[in-house]
Amino acid sequence: MLSATESRRSEQIVEDGTAQEFLSFTLGPEEYAIDILKVQEIRGYDAATAIAGAPKFIKGVINLRGIIVPIVDLRIKFGIGTVEYSPFTVVIMLNLGARVVGIVVDSVSDVISLAADRIHPAPDFASSIGASYVLGLGTLEDRMLILIDIERLMLSGEMALVDEAVA
């Protein structure tokens, strides 16, 4: 039996029973996925202009075709291992309503389609991500993906620092 919270998460993921597409990416040893409809573009990692006094997980800002975009390093934000930038490191540009935000990830894997029966409620656990930002766990063959509500995470109160850093 699903709890009320788990039920709401399931409704957020698939409302009509059809498959939903996600962009999968890695952070350290884990594989995550976000709603593909939130992705504007994927770019190679370039150094951002640092903002004095910004939290460590905010790498800075970049100018993306005339739009100043804050760049958040999810590995730093989630406290996952040592941060190393490689040729596979990318920035996923997210379109979150009126806001564009970039997230730095280790690598992008692929676009996957998950049917409702492949999405399972996440167990209640304490993590650096925060259980309220985890939509569920997606399974695909031998892969397990942590499905992140990226819009809720990026627009949360703890991320309000992003707006303050570039204001």
Side-chain angles (χ1 to χ4, degrees), residues 29-62:
E30 301 298 328
E31 194 168 11
Y32 297 83
I34 57 175
D35 183 349
I36 191 70
L37 297 177
K38 304 293 181 199
V39 176
Q40 178 175 311
E41 66 183 87
I42 300 168
R43 304 170 50 94
Y45 177 76
D46 287 322
T49 302
I51 301 293
K56 290 185 182 197
F57 60 85
I58 299 177
K59 297 302 293 178
V61 296
I62 64 167

Side-chain angles (χ1 to χ4, degrees), residues 69-144:
V69 179
I71 304 298
V72 176
D73 190 318
L74 287 186
R75 183 176 267 211
I76 296 171
K77 174 65 182 143
F78 296 160
I80 300 174
T82 305
V83 176
E84 294 179 17
Y85 301 104
S86 75
F88 298 107
T89 303
V90 296
V91 178
I92 302 171
M93 295 296 174
L94 304 170
N95 192 340
L96 306 175
R99 188 90 181 136
V100 177
V101 177
I103 57 172
V104 179
V105 299
D106 292 342
S107 65
V108 169
S109 302
D110 51 8
V111 175
I112 57 167
S113 183
L114 290 175
D117 65 345
R118 295 285 185 187
I119 300 172
H120 309 283
D124 288 330
F125 55 86
S127 77
S128 58
I129 300 171
S132 63
Y133 306 125
V134 177
L135 290 172
L137 299 174
T139 56
L140 186 64
E141 297 169 12
D142 61 345
R143 295 165 64 188
M144 182 162 303

